Amino acid sequence: LPRDPEAGRRLSEAQRQLAWAEALTASGRFRDATRALFDLGAEAHSIGYRPLVARVRLADARVQEGMGRPAAARDFARRAFSESLAAREPRDAIGAATVLAGLEASLGRGDDAQQWVETASGLMDAHGASSEARVSLLRVRAQILRARGDLDGARSKLEQALQLLSRDMAPRLVAAEIAEEVGALEMDEGRAGEALRAYQEALAIRREALGPTAPRVRTLEERVAGLER
């Protein structure tokens, strides 16, 4: 930690701003999160506190991923991974590896995705991990299995993730995301009724958490309406 009082004050302010950006990202307000992160990376480098640099890069990666910009997200996540290892921050290295695994899976690069899963899993075995991190990795594993056509395996991973959520009282928005992923699996198997129930569950959670006018809520409403016809 910085010894200089002024640097300490700047670090506290940067951490506060980063926490706000992460909260915006969690609620799907990616453009607002981008504004909150603006210039924060440069400030982190200026302060000279490497763990903060890694966390800002990881936050940037998650925002870019949420905005549908996989190339930018991957660039930020790779830098976050390297910075996290250099700063001896395994928690953030696990987060970056998990983001990279999900990005590679979404781009159809299953082998690369599996390598990042194994990297994250190895760090978890060596250093431990929060339930939130384990849930994130289980969801990526489900994503990889679904892409391979192993729908039962994907369902099993999502069920494990939900069990961790209910045990630890994790944020409801994560449960909504998993419910949507279950809905997508049900659609893959041609079970529209089961998919509708999963999407309705996700919609109810998102309405409560984000309000009726949030973009993610409207998108889900359209999906549910299509299945109800």
Side-chain angles (χ1 to χ4, degrees), residues 171-193:
R172 293 273 287 160
L173 281 173
V174 180
E177 291 173 1
I178 294 176
E180 287 187 58
E181 290 162 6
V182 170
L185 278 176
E186 299 294 2
M187 289 298 293
D188 285 350
E189 294 188 336
R191 297 202 290 244

Side-chain angles (χ1 to χ4, degrees), residues 74-127:
R74 187 168 46 182
D75 182 52
F76 278 122
R78 284 174 172 166
R79 283 189 274 173
F81 183 76
S82 297
E83 290 284 357
S84 298
L85 291 182
R88 298 181 181 179
E89 291 288 339
R91 181 192 66 177
D92 294 320
I94 289 166
T98 302
V99 168
L100 284 163
L103 287 166
E104 298 293 4
S106 68
L107 293 170
R109 298 170 179 163
D111 290 343
D112 291 337
Q114 189 60 42
Q115 287 180 3
W116 281 113
V117 165
E118 291 170 3
T119 296
S121 182
L123 287 167
M124 286 182 178
D125 290 343
H127 302 283

Side-chain angles (χ1 to χ4, degrees), residues 111-156:
D111 290 343
D112 291 337
Q114 189 60 42
Q115 287 180 3
W116 281 113
V117 165
E118 291 170 3
T119 296
S121 182
L123 287 167
M124 286 182 178
D125 290 343
H127 302 283
S130 67
S131 292
E132 181 182 1
R134 295 184 186 280
V135 165
S136 295
L137 192 60
L138 282 166
R139 291 172 62 194
V140 173
R141 288 183 185 274
Q143 186 180 357
I144 294 170
L145 290 168
R146 181 187 174 197
R148 292 175 178 170
D150 184 357
L151 302 185
D152 288 340
R155 187 189 310 279
S156 174

